[in-house]
Amino acid sequence: MHEYSVASAIVDQVKAIIEEHKATQVKKIIVSASPYDVIIPELLIEAYGIITAELDKFKNSTLEMQISKAEISCLECDYKGEPAEEGDPEFAYNFICPKCESRDTHINMKNLTIETVDLVIPDN
Amino acid sequence: MSPEKKVVVKKLAYQVNDELADKIREVMKSKNKLFFNMMGSIGSGKTLILERLAAKLSSKYRVFVINGDVATTIDADRIAKQGATTVQINTGGGCHLSAKLIQNELDKINIDDYDIFIAENVGNLICPAAWDIGAQLNITVVSITEGEYVVKKHPIIFKSAEIAIINKCDLDGLGFNSDVLAEDAAKIKSGMKVILTSAKTGQGIDELITALGIEY
Ligand SMILES: Nc1nc2c(ncn2[C@@H]2O[C@H](COP(=O)(O)OP(=O)(O)OP(=O)(O)O)[C@@H](O)[C@H]2O)c(=O)[nH]1
Ligand SMILES: [Mg+2]
Ligand SMILES: [Zn+2]
């Protein structure tokens, strides 16, 4: 479900990139997301396939998802970076700050980034 | 063969949504309007709380409610009976509202005709957290009938809220317990306002109105 709207957000942005570069085809899109973005790569790729099925410029294109590092920010101190290995024993998806040990941290779940797009661009 | 080119993009997939959300927030602010996003689990009582709010606020304010639902107009019809103007967005399977869906509705009305805007997001404790809709305040509603672990299992939706509502407190003691949920909500995000409500009896609704910064 979530993957479907994320996939259409990706396709919309890539459409704009195709326009910008006057490309005729997109070959490959590489995106990245952290393990806490709650995006299942298989579902994202499936959704991408459904959304682009009727789009000529996306014909035979592939979407690849790479896993990026998780990042938390602490609301008590200024720590921003990777969370400690073990999570909060009490709360799912929560992490203790490795610097000040506060559990008042925020895990960034919006890391999904369009990294590169391979385009076919005709001469002139 | 046409040449191929690798374009380095490095842009968040949410970027277009978030930019539009910022724009909505700016427009609302510049016009002195209030816009709230009510998130929460399925059946936690979002609509009944909105009915209560609409009933109280409609005598003094022009309230516009946007109902996000996978299908049907039941929720919008319920709230409209309490004096608010409502519109139902059917997300057609989508699990959350987005800035675009909100903007589409705002385009159909004159913002100046209303004072307070409230969106009831799709019942879901995961997806709405990632999609900014341009509200000034986010509210997360859960109810005590969902069991005592609902905050522990879904802290993320609370992290993106300024106000947490623990609803159905009329059932407190009748096999359900509000204490654990209220404690967990307070623990998970410092500074978040936690309000115990019963949309059935009206408990906590005035406190909610105050927390929303509405003079009443
Ligand atoms: N006892 C009790 N029942 C409540 C309370 N609030 C809501 N309900 C009941 O719970 C059910 C769901 O309420 P809704 O207001 O439709 O919940 P919702 O969160 O809008 O549900 P969806 O939009 O379907 O996700 C209804 O039968 C309500 O009458 C409450 O405070 N106490
Ligand atoms: Mg509802
Ligand atoms: Zn810290």
Side-chain angles (χ1 to χ4, degrees), chain A residues 1-2 5 13 27 90-92 94 103-105 109-110 112-121 123, chain B residues 2-7 9-13 18 93 95-96 127 130-131 152 155-156 159 187-188 190:
Chain A
M1 301 279 268
H2 190 61
S5 30
Q13 289 203 42
K27 288 277 187 188
E90 236 190 297
F91 292 93
N94 200 49
R103 72 151 38 114
D104 208 356
T105 62
M109 301 180 83
K110 291 178 71 170
L112 185 74
T113 304
I114 304 170
E115 296 286 345
T116 60
V117 179
D118 292 359
L119 299 173
V120 177
I121 303 168
D123 294 320
Chain B
S2 297
E4 282 186 31
K5 185 181 170 195
K6 188 178 285 295
V7 180
V9 186
K10 278 271 168 213
K11 274 189 186 166
L12 283 180
D18 291 357
C95 47
H96 58 87
C127 307
W131 296 86
K152 287 192 170 75
I156 296 301
K159 298 261 184 188
K187 251 195 239 173
I188 200 68
S190 60

Side-chain angles (χ1 to χ4, degrees), chain B:
Chain B
M1 268 287 286
S2 297
E4 282 186 31
K5 185 181 170 195
K6 188 178 285 295
V7 180
V8 178
V9 186
K10 278 271 168 213
K11 274 189 186 166
L12 283 180
Y14 301 98
Q15 183 169 318
V16 173
N17 180 75
D18 291 357
E19 283 170 1
L20 182 57
D22 282 339
K23 202 190 112 205
I24 293 171
R25 222 173 345 261
E26 267 165 43
V27 168
M28 290 293 189
K29 202 175 161 219
S30 72
K31 290 177 175 285
N32 253 322
K33 308 295 180 190
L34 295 173
F35 178 26
F36 308 117
N37 176 22
M38 185 171 272
M39 304 177 290
S41 31
I42 296 181
S44 57
K46 299 178 297 299
T47 304
L48 198 54
I49 292 170
L50 289 175
E51 286 177 66
R52 288 272 176 190
L53 280 179
K56 288 217 170 203
L57 298 176
S58 294
S59 56
K60 201 165 165 190
Y61 297 99
R62 298 164 300 170
V63 182
F64 189 78
V65 177
I66 300 171
N67 274 93
D69 240 317
V70 173
T72 80
T73 64
I74 297 169
D75 286 3
D77 297 342
R78 280 168 56 188
I79 299 165
K81 288 206 183 92
Q82 305 302 324
T85 305
T86 63
V87 58
Q88 184 91 27
I89 303 180
N90 287 142
T91 59
C95 47
H96 58 87
L97 290 175
S98 65
K100 180 85 190 300
L101 290 173
I102 298 294
Q103 186 63 53
N104 287 348
E105 296 311 315
L106 296 179
D107 285 345
K108 294 178 198 161
I109 59 164
N110 182 357
I111 292 177
D112 296 317
D113 288 344
Y114 303 94
D115 309 302
I116 299 172
F117 297 78
I118 311 175
E120 177 181 340
N121 219 310
V122 182
N124 184 313
L125 289 177
I126 299 168
C127 307
W131 296 86
D132 190 352
I133 61 167
Q136 293 140 10
L137 270 180
N138 294 304
I139 307 159
T140 293
V141 185
V142 292
S143 60
I144 65 175
T145 54
E146 289 156 54
E148 59 200 274
Y149 300 113
V150 64
V151 181
K152 287 192 170 75
K153 286 181 187 169
H154 298 282
I156 296 301
I157 196 91
F158 292 91
K159 298 261 184 188
S160 55
E162 284 74 33
I163 298 173
I165 294 179
I166 315 291
N167 190 38
K168 306 198 185 177
C169 286
D170 55 287
L171 301 174
D172 215 349
L174 301 170
F176 304 105
N177 187 336
S178 63
D179 294 347
V180 184
L181 294 181
E183 271 168 32
D184 282 351
K187 251 195 239 173
I188 200 68
K189 189 183 176 194
S190 60
M192 180 171 63
K193 180 102 186 135
V194 182
I195 302 176
L196 301 178
T197 62
S198 164
K200 195 177 176 188
T201 66
Q203 175 200 339
I205 301 298
D206 287 341
E207 196 187 336
L208 173 60
I209 291 173
T210 308
L212 293 172
I214 301 169
E215 274 179 46
Y216 167 74

